[in-house]
Each structure stands twice: as structure tokens, then as C-alpha cells.
Amino acid sequence: MAEDSRLTAVVALAQGMAAAHNPRESWRAAALGACRALAGSFAALSVWERERGRLRVLVNVGERAVEEEEFPEQETYPVHQFPEITEFLHERWAGGGGPTAWVETAQGPAAGHAGYCHQRVAALRRRGRGCCVVAPVLLHGRAWGELYVARKAGAPVFDGADADFATVLASVVAAGIAQTERLEEVRRLAFTDALTGLANRRAVDVRLEEAIERYREDGVVVSLLVCDLNGLKRVNDTRGHAVGDRLLERFGSVLSLCGAMLPGALVARLGGDEFCLLAVGPTADEVVRVADEVCRRAAQLELGDGVACGVASTQDPIGTVRSARRLFRLADAAQYRAKAVRAAKPVVAGREGADDPVVRLADAPPPAGGERRRFRGRH
């Protein structure tokens, strides 16, 4: 391949990874870019899971064998089957050399290239491929995984220049992975409450909008539990904010534990002493049972005075739910009523008869002096 063509291929690979919206897209862009750049018929990107001692395949692209899934969940191999990862490469790096790619063929090692190949040779033969080039991916100074590109049997065998080019491609892939990891960390922080480690208000906004859209289109049940932690101000005033933070963290753990009883539930701290749980799919009764458990466990905490808990679900008689904002207002109103009457159990919107006070409160226009309670309005 001419130098200009190779430069174009490198740029295309980097741009493909940069345009990815999530790690899977990034892995796929890396493998596809390398496969095209090296005129391969198949490519894979794998990560070395040190804690498990296994090489895990992240993505397979190109002409896949029957057993090769694009994004395999369970395709892993013991690292001892590929000792170059821990022995050959490590020794070279320790001696001052950089990670370089090597070529293997279905007939055995390519001339002039050292390494261990028995497992890879067997795989080439089994899958009808004639040769492969393997390039270590180095991230943060450590072996992260490998980029693997193969050609079908009968195609020209990779040569030394291909191996050198694969080494360059692996370094571009490493840079792309590092960028993806940084972006994922930024996204994680943007949607995470720093104190409790739960989701934050922004995460709830996004997930609830998506859930209500599913409700409108498919009728999926959407339920929202809103909690207000009682007694936090007293704890802060009498025992200090560090103790108050400990109360918030402990209740966050309680809510997280209870939320695990509902598959896929999102548990979040909205801010201050307010928390919520969003469930999409489980029935309203299941969510209410979990809310009961939240109240019971919160009452047993050594700090604070339990919680005021409100629930609103599209499965209950609460009127038409056309927006995420309305469901939030209903759950908020139920929580407000629970606090006002000092309820030990959750108050559920729509379950107090035809003239349900929670529904009336949520739907009532604000008084002249403003709302008695500042309902969240971004939904």
C-alpha cells in the first residue's frame, strides 16, 4: 500500500473512533478501520483482563465464522494460550523495545518473526484463514490488549511492512481508546451524584423522558418514587455537616439496595435531602412494595427521622400522563402529602378515591403568591 493510502487509512481509523458515541462503537470503528487499512477479511479487538487472566474479545468484524458474534458476551481465552502477551512482549518491553506486531500463517510462524503461535495457527486453519497480523495495544504504559487482522486462505500473506503498519494502527487505536475512556468518565461524572455515587438529577431527566416516550408508544408502566429524608437539617445543626453527609450516604445505600429489587431501576439523589427511584416495566404494586421497604429501612437508621415517600405510576388512576413533568409533579405531590401527614408508609397518587387529594394538589393551579411547593419544572 502506498504511503499516501496508508496515511489516509490512519486518518480514517482515527476519525471513525472519534465519531463514536460509546465504547462499542469505538471498538467497532477500530477493528473496521484496521481491517480496511490492512486489506484484511476479518479483524478483532480484544482486551487483556488481568484480574481474570483472560483475553476477552470485544468485537469481531468482517467475514465472521459461524461462532463469531460481532459483540460477543462470552468469547474469552486463557492468557496462557497466548503467552506472548505476558512473556514475549513483556521481555521485549523490559529490554527497552516497543511493542511491535508480528505475522503468523496457517502453516506456522512467518519467516523472521518470533513468538508463540500454536493456538493462533489452529484458529486460522479452523476458520479458513491463511494468515494474520497481531498488534499489541499499549495503554498508559501497559499491555491493554491486541488488534488482530486476518486474511482468507489464498490471499497474499502479510509481510514485514504490514506488521510495521499494524504497529502504527495499534498506537492510533490506543489513542482512540484513551479518548473514549476519558469521555466515558466525563459522562459518568456528569450523571453521577458526587456524595452518594447514585445517579443525579440530570440522569433522571434523561431517563424519565425516554421512559414516558415508551409509555406513550407501547404502554409500558412507568413509576416514580420520590423521597424526602426527614431530620437532615436537625442532624446538620446539632452534629455537623459531616454527620449529615453520612446520613445521606447511608440512606442512598438503603435506596440502592431496595431499588435492586426492581430490575433496571434507576436510583438517584435529586439534590439536598431529596432522592428518587425510577422504575420502567414493573407493576405499580411492585414499586409500592419496594417503597414500603424503603420506609421501613429508613426508619431504622440511627440518624434522621425516616423518610416521607410518594409514589406515582402510570398504572394507577392518575389521569392522562402526557409528559415526564406531570408524573414528577404527581410523585412530588404524594411525597409532600406524606410529609404533611407524617405518614410512616408511602403515599400513592390515585389511590385515595375519586377525589384523590394528591392528584388535586398536583393539578391545582399555583396560588397567587406562587406554589406552596416548588415542583420541579424541567420535565
Side-chain angles (χ1 to χ4, degrees), residues 38 67 71 82 211:
L38 287 160
E67 72 276 14
F71 293 106
F82 306 92

Side-chain angles (χ1 to χ4, degrees), residues 244-283:
D245 285 349
R246 192 158 74 244
L247 172 59
L248 290 168
E249 290 178 282
R250 289 182 179 176
F251 177 69
S253 296
V254 165
L255 191 59
S256 179
L257 177 66
C258 294
M261 302 174 188
L262 298 168
L266 178 72
V267 177
R269 180 186 176 208
L270 299 173
D273 57 3
E274 291 189 309
F275 293 76
C276 82
L277 183 153
L278 172 61
V280 183
T283 66

Side-chain angles (χ1 to χ4, degrees), residues 131-338:
C131 62
C132 68
V133 59
V134 185
V137 177
L138 186 66
L139 196 63
H140 309 310
R142 303 175 69 184
W144 179 88
E146 68 172 41
L147 180 65
Y148 175 101
V149 180
R151 287 175 179 167
K152 63 179 66 175
V157 175
F158 290 115
D159 58 21
D162 291 322
D164 292 341
F165 185 40
T167 300
V168 173
L169 293 173
S171 67
V172 176
V173 169
I177 290 169
Q179 177 68 10
T180 299
E181 289 184 350
R182 285 193 291 270
L183 290 174
E184 284 299 300
E185 179 63 11
V186 169
R187 291 189 186 106
R188 186 190 68 79
L189 293 174
F191 289 95
T192 302
D193 176 63
L195 177 64
T196 63
L198 301 178
N200 63 11
R201 170 63 185 277
R202 184 180 291 109
V204 176
D205 285 350
V206 172
R207 186 77 67 85
L208 185 57
E209 289 286 358
E210 293 172 349
I212 292 299
E213 185 65 24
R214 287 183 60 193
Y215 161 71
R216 287 196 297 258
E217 292 181 355
D218 305 321
V220 66
V221 178
V222 181
S223 303
L224 191 65
L225 180 159
V226 175
C227 297
D228 191 286
L229 191 55
N230 296 326
L232 178 63
K233 184 178 186 305
R234 176 183 56 78
V235 171
N236 283 334
D237 290 345
T238 60
R239 303 185 63 175
H241 286 272
V243 177
D245 285 349
R246 192 158 74 244
L247 172 59
L248 290 168
E249 290 178 282
R250 289 182 179 176
F251 177 69
S253 296
V254 165
L255 191 59
S256 179
L257 177 66
C258 294
M261 302 174 188
L262 298 168
L266 178 72
V267 177
R269 180 186 176 208
L270 299 173
D273 57 3
E274 291 189 309
F275 293 76
C276 82
L277 183 153
L278 172 61
V280 183
T283 66
D285 286 342
E286 289 176 296
V287 176
V288 171
R289 281 194 293 272
V290 168
D292 278 332
E293 185 67 8
V294 170
C295 291
R296 186 185 71 80
R297 289 176 180 263
Q300 295 175 350
L301 291 174
E302 61 179 286
L303 300 168
D305 301 312
V307 291
C309 185
V311 178
S313 174
T314 58
Q315 198 173 38
D316 282 324
I318 55 176
T320 304
V321 178
R322 293 191 175 89
S323 68
R325 181 175 183 272
R326 173 167 167 76
L327 191 66
F328 226 132
R329 285 178 64 92
L330 285 158
D332 221 13
Q335 185 266 115
Y336 178 79
R337 179 167 173 78

Side-chain angles (χ1 to χ4, degrees), residues 77 85 90 98 124 130 172 198 204 241-242 264 278 341 351 376:
Y77 303 94
I85 294 176
H90 175 73
L124 287 171
V172 176
L198 301 178
V204 176
H241 286 272
L278 172 61
V341 301
R351 295 196 176 186
R376 302 167 186 85

Side-chain angles (χ1 to χ4, degrees), residues 27 31 42-46 57-61 68 146-150:
W27 303 335
F42 170 85
L45 182 66
S46 304
V57 179
L58 300 173
V59 64
N60 293 308
V61 300
E68 290 173 324
E146 68 172 41
L147 180 65
Y148 175 101
V149 180

